[in-house]
Amino acid sequence: MSAEFAARLTLSSRKRIELAQVKQLYFELHPEVRNHPERGALLLQTLQDLTATGTLALPARASWEKVGQPPLPLWVT
């Protein structure tokens, strides 16, 4: 599930990918999640999984959303 998402993220010409673009890519690949009540948690879990494998890095907590359930990083690298 996250392999294609990771591949699409790495195609970006920028090192830092903003949250809006991360969400857009994720929901394009997983349209069934778009209206899911836990869509934020599912996206966060995917990002954490990719971080655990060294595919991407999340910023320090100061660079995360202040609101949101759960808060998401404002960008990834």
Side-chain angles (χ1 to χ4, degrees):
M1 177 174 176
S2 59
E4 187 174 351
F5 178 56
R8 296 275 302 271
L9 287 174
T10 59
L11 291 176
S12 175
S13 60
R14 306 186 93 175
K15 182 177 179 180
R16 182 183 286 192
I17 305 167
E18 302 296 326
L19 179 58
Q21 185 179 0
V22 171
K23 285 181 175 180
Q24 179 183 356
L25 287 172
Y26 186 75
F27 295 135
E28 281 177 13
L29 292 171
H30 308 288
E32 70 281 0
V33 175
R34 186 171 294 163
N35 294 320
H36 193 284
E38 298 294 322
R39 66 185 170 269
L42 294 169
L43 174 55
L44 180 58
Q45 183 61 54
T46 301
L47 294 174
Q48 290 171 334
D49 291 348
L50 292 172
T51 300
T53 63
T55 304
L56 60 85
L58 300 177
R61 281 290 183 181
S63 296
W64 287 52
E65 296 177 313
K66 303 300 182 227
V67 296
Q69 246 353 68
L72 295 169
L74 298 174
W75 47 268
V76 300
T77 56

